Amino acid sequence: MLKLSAVKGGIQEFSSDLIVVNLFEGVKKPAGATGAVDQALGGMITRVLDTGDFRGKRNSTLLLYTVGRIPAPRVLIVGLGKKEEFDLQAIREVSATAAKKARELGVRNFATIVHGSGAGGMDYRDAALATAVGLILGLYKYKAEKSGENYEKEPEEAFIVEFNDSNLSLLTNSVERAKAIAQGVYLTRDLVNMPANISSPPFLAETAEKLAKDYKNVKVTVFERKDMEKLGMGAFLAVAQGSSVPPKFIVLEYNGSKEGNPVVIAGKGLTFDSGGISLKPAQDMWKMKFDMAGAAVVLGTIKAAAEIKLPLKIVGLIGATYNMPDGNAYRPSDVVKAMNGKTIEIISTDAEGRLVLADLLSYATMKLNPELIVDFATLTGACIVALGMKIAGLFTNDEKLEDQIVSASRYTGEPVWKLPLYDDYKKLLKSDFADIKNSGGKWAGAITAALFLKEFVGDNRWAHIDIAGPTWEDKDDNPLIPKGATGFGVRLMLKFLDELTG
Ligand code: BES
Ligand code: MN
Ligand code: ZN
């Protein structure tokens, strides 16, 4: 990960391979830090702007060579876009754009100003955090299993430069927080990008154990098949019975405070979802390695929370297993019993995530006395049909929780949209052979899946976030969001938790 630090000074005097400043769209005469650089360069920037070649469009860049007039040999100007459209997400993107450009140039180090706190008018702390987060997340790269690949040409070090003394401690804090957040997001992205044979249930358990080793207030318990049998987790175990690799029920406890009940975060950890006997089509089946993204959000969030030392209790619950077809696999028509005693008729072995979550949510409800529960799951293709690839579905039985999650989501730029837990659709889950069936059929699939989960949360405050769409990105079309695993949910959850602590 990029080595990042906050330093005091004027950017135009800073000595590094590259300095980064910015410009709003349409500005003809730069002011602030960009103005200071322009002045030091004898008005070079103003002259270039006069040509009309660079107009400051969001995420556009202009590279200038300073031919010895200032210590840095190169200046990069990034476009902030239209002032009316400017927000924290623009800062993150612009910052990521600059970092990527630095990498492309092959520089060893670079320095940037905080974007958006001057003419942008953003709160300094928020702008500094967004700048720092954008730099680190923009440079994320999955270290693929490729022989001979060289990952060493990354910029080693970056500096965020601040002229104003009174802002320096805010900047230092934001940089530290950004590093902690980014460690969480990096972990989540890595786990989701990893192939299904590496990122297995035992591997997720080892990853959790490593967190417990690295942070003294993180504790982990791993429940094996026989332990889950004792707990009565018949739904989870049914999904796991077709796999020769043992499932793991992982419980992570982060104790950042002595007081209060824990916030429970539960994650679907299907390390590969073949569909089971209700086998998925071969086309794109490989993507179902990402079906453990919910679990990865839990791990990433807890790592970052421990790193930031958030003052609250969190319990992370991960249901990790493969869903495989096999002589011992569960079948459509099977009836299984979840930990809370409810019986479930299996209609599709491909509706497996809700079965795993049923037992996780039962465990939270029966054993943990939670303050509230949030679950993350790549639960339904139907949620992608409803909201597309960029927006997660939010379901909740509590209005206040809805507001808290939506406002965290607006802040971090990870969009969620509320869908209804429409009671009448519960009919669609009626079974002739058990209390409930695991598939509600063709229509409103994201909603019926959420209604299924609701049967296992008792009267706890609970939110379910269906991340089937935004957890994976097919195109490289946003500087902040890499192709492949996006890490969606980690920053949102951290902001939510941070606001809970007041
Ligand atoms: N993991 C899938 C959901 C999914 C599908 C996520 C495509 C992302 C892209 C889940 O286990 C699943 O298979 N759901 C079924 C449910 C159906 C059988 C009721 C679905 O969405 O088709
Ligand atoms: Mn499935
Ligand atoms: Zn699945």
Side-chain angles (χ1 to χ4, degrees), residues 71-127:
R74 308 172 187 85
V75 177
L76 184 73
I77 307 171
V78 285
L80 299 179
K82 294 196 174 71
K83 217 167 189 168
E84 315 87 77
E85 289 166 13
F86 190 66
D87 58 8
L88 292 176
Q89 189 67 355
I91 298 179
R92 295 183 198 102
E93 284 181 16
V94 157
S95 194
T97 298
K100 286 189 146 98
K101 194 78 194 172
R103 172 163 67 197
E104 198 182 304
L105 289 166
V107 302
R108 277 174 303 117
N109 54 48
F110 65 99
T112 178
I113 55 167
V114 169
H115 302 294
S117 71
M122 292 285 173
D123 172 73
Y124 185 82
R125 194 197 304 257
D126 290 336

Side-chain angles (χ1 to χ4, degrees), residues 1-2 103 133-143 154 178-194 296 300 303 485-487 490:
M1 207 169 91
L2 178 72
R103 172 163 67 197
V133 162
L135 285 181
I136 307 177
L137 292 192
L139 288 177
Y140 173 81
K141 222 178 192 173
Y142 177 64
K143 300 206 170 29
E154 301 291 310
K179 288 188 201 170
I181 293 171
Q183 282 190 45
V185 177
Y186 270 45
L187 174 63
T188 301
R189 287 179 178 177
D190 279 345
L191 291 169
V192 176
N193 277 323
M194 280 175 191
K303 182 178 173 69
T486 62
V490 175

Side-chain angles (χ1 to χ4, degrees), residues 2 56 60 113 131 139 163 165 174 180 209 232 265 272 353 366 378 411 423-424 453 499:
L2 178 72
S60 65
I113 55 167
T131 301
L139 288 177
F163 186 67
D165 248 334
S174 289
E209 276 155 1
I265 318 174
F272 190 75
M366 295 164 72
T378 46
Y411 179 89
D423 235 17
D424 202 42
L453 298 182
E499 291 295 326

Side-chain angles (χ1 to χ4, degrees), residues 268 273 275 280 291 323 349-353:
K268 170 177 173 181
D273 177 15
K280 285 186 180 294
D291 215 20
N323 183 22
T349 64
D350 197 13
E352 83 299 335

Side-chain angles (χ1 to χ4, degrees), residues 268 270 273 275 280 288 290-291 323 348-354 378-384 438-441 445 448 466 468-469:
K268 170 177 173 181
L270 265 289
D273 177 15
K280 285 186 180 294
M288 281 303 128
F290 75 39
D291 215 20
N323 183 22
S348 168
T349 64
D350 197 13
E352 83 299 335
R354 65 197 71 183
T378 46
L379 204 62
T380 65
C383 196
I384 310 180
N438 80 329
S439 167
T448 53
D466 192 332

Side-chain angles (χ1 to χ4, degrees), residues 82-306:
K82 294 196 174 71
K83 217 167 189 168
E84 315 87 77
E85 289 166 13
F86 190 66
D87 58 8
L88 292 176
Q89 189 67 355
I91 298 179
R92 295 183 198 102
E93 284 181 16
V94 157
S95 194
T97 298
K100 286 189 146 98
K101 194 78 194 172
R103 172 163 67 197
E104 198 182 304
L105 289 166
V107 302
R108 277 174 303 117
N109 54 48
F110 65 99
T112 178
I113 55 167
V114 169
H115 302 294
S117 71
M122 292 285 173
D123 172 73
Y124 185 82
R125 194 197 304 257
D126 290 336
L129 183 63
T131 301
V133 162
L135 285 181
I136 307 177
L137 292 192
L139 288 177
Y140 173 81
K141 222 178 192 173
Y142 177 64
K143 300 206 170 29
E145 288 71 23
K146 291 190 192 188
S147 36
E149 190 89 345
N150 177 9
Y151 292 103
E152 269 154 27
K153 272 185 265 152
E154 301 291 310
E156 281 158 26
E157 197 171 7
F159 307 91
I160 305 184
V161 183
E162 174 55 46
F163 186 67
N164 192 336
D165 248 334
S166 61
N167 282 335
L168 203 65
S169 75
L170 292 176
L171 177 59
T172 307
N173 280 333
S174 289
V175 166
E176 289 315 308
R177 179 168 285 249
K179 288 188 201 170
I181 293 171
Q183 282 190 45
V185 177
Y186 270 45
L187 174 63
T188 301
R189 287 179 178 177
D190 279 345
L191 291 169
V192 176
N193 277 323
M194 280 175 191
N197 60 331
I198 295 184
S199 189
S200 64
F203 184 85
L204 293 182
E206 281 162 33
T207 305
E209 276 155 1
K210 186 163 183 304
L211 287 187
K213 230 177 82 202
D214 291 348
Y215 303 96
K216 67 173 192 319
N217 48 9
V218 174
K219 236 190 79 189
V220 64
T221 313
V222 177
F223 292 82
E224 305 293 334
R225 231 192 270 261
K226 60 178 188 328
D227 308 312
M228 288 186 249
E229 272 160 20
K230 276 187 207 128
L231 287 168
M233 296 185 146
F236 183 167
L237 284 169
V239 177
Q241 78 190 37
S243 170
S244 56
V245 180
K248 305 280 178 182
F249 168 42
I250 306 163
V251 180
L252 283 142
E253 294 164 68
Y254 165 69
N255 269 301
S257 163
K258 291 199 165 46
E259 276 116 68
N261 298 330
V263 174
V264 172
I265 318 174
K268 170 177 173 181
L270 265 289
T271 51
F272 190 75
D273 177 15
S274 70
I277 296 299
S278 314
L279 194 64
K280 285 186 180 294
Q283 170 97 46
D284 282 348
M285 197 204 267
W286 65 272
K287 279 193 194 164
M288 281 303 128
K289 69 173 180 176
F290 75 39
D291 215 20
M292 38 59 74
V297 168
V298 173
L299 288 164
T301 301
I302 289 187
K303 182 178 173 69

